[in-house]
Amino acid sequence: MLKLPIESSSDLVAVRNAVGKLAEEIGFRNAQQVKIITAVSEIVRNVLNYAGTGGCIARRTSRGIRIEVWDSGPGIPVETIQAIETGSYVSKTGMGKGISGSKELMDSLSILSSPGNTQIFMEMNL
Amino acid sequence: MDQGKIPIIRMMRCLLVSIQMALHDELLEQLLDDLGAAIEEERPRGVVIELANVGIIDSFTTRILNQIGTMARLMGARTIVAGIQPAVAVTMVEMGIELEGIETVLGVDDALELLGFRIDDTEAAPTFTVEHADDEHAGATDGQT
């Protein structure tokens, strides 16, 4: 299991590298590794841009990989979460774009968010 | 923390950027600034950005590349991105992000040909020829590959 802090853009690169290495060890193909790393990059950058700091846990599961990213920022607006979950988010910029793009890349992405506590869970199966 | 810079190679009225390092956000923002200054100084025909060794292009990287393309176009230069890896291209498609106003090719050779360099690789030592007669470097040859 990986547990990594998110405090600076250097951590963004560190998280990308560590999660990519874990995905390779688990046995994901290169194309899947790129998707996982890209999704993590989007979510971690949101933490840096909108919350400042947070953390990331990535672990092997019986079916593949599970990644959790959390922060204690202002939270994601309910309407943004709903738009992402229904696939109707259309903005080309901003927080929702990164999350909705990540949702397209992973097998599952779910969001728990309230002011001061946001958690995003992502999974990809082999 | 000093993360260095992405080098910009100046050659025959062309700016060549070959990214060989992990892409920190600050590096990309610095590249945007550096390319603006280099375009003003060198008045290049084009900017070639090689990404063959870049394993991830996310929405931030795409935004910076699009800004480079727009800036270069406003300053009279073309921007050509070369060598995007297949897995990276597929990921960009699935995310719905794309390069806008930027030409893309498979390799740096293709980019240079788009900019008017004729690459003769039929001889033992390949040569570059600039095909634009009005260019100050017209007819120049160079032994570089």
Side-chain angles (χ1 to χ4, degrees), chain A residues 43-98:
Chain A
I43 302 303
V44 170
R45 180 174 287 104
N46 276 351
V47 171
L48 291 168
N49 287 347
Y50 296 100
T53 61
C56 172
I57 290 177
R59 60 163 62 96
R60 180 195 298 256
T61 67
S62 59
R63 291 183 297 176
I65 193 169
R66 177 178 172 87
I67 301 162
E68 176 186 350
V69 178
W70 73 89
D71 67 64
S72 52
I76 304 171
V78 172
E79 58 270 25
T80 299
I81 295 175
Q82 289 173 340
I84 290 167
E85 288 177 343
T86 59
S88 61
Y89 192 87
V90 294
S91 171
K92 287 195 169 187
T93 59
M95 175 165 47
K97 177 60 183 172

Side-chain angles (χ1 to χ4, degrees), chain B residues 42-57:
Chain B
E42 303 289 335
R43 298 178 181 276
R45 183 181 295 128
V47 176
V48 178
I49 302 174
E50 194 214 18
L51 301 177
N53 288 315
V54 173
I56 166 181
I57 299 179

Side-chain angles (χ1 to χ4, degrees), chain B residues 78-101:
Chain B
R78 294 165 72 177
T79 300
I80 303 170
V81 165
I84 293 179
Q85 296 177 12
V88 173
V90 169
T91 299
M92 292 173 71
V93 170
E94 291 198 11
M95 283 193 75
I97 56 177
E98 56 186 301
L99 298 177
E100 295 167 348

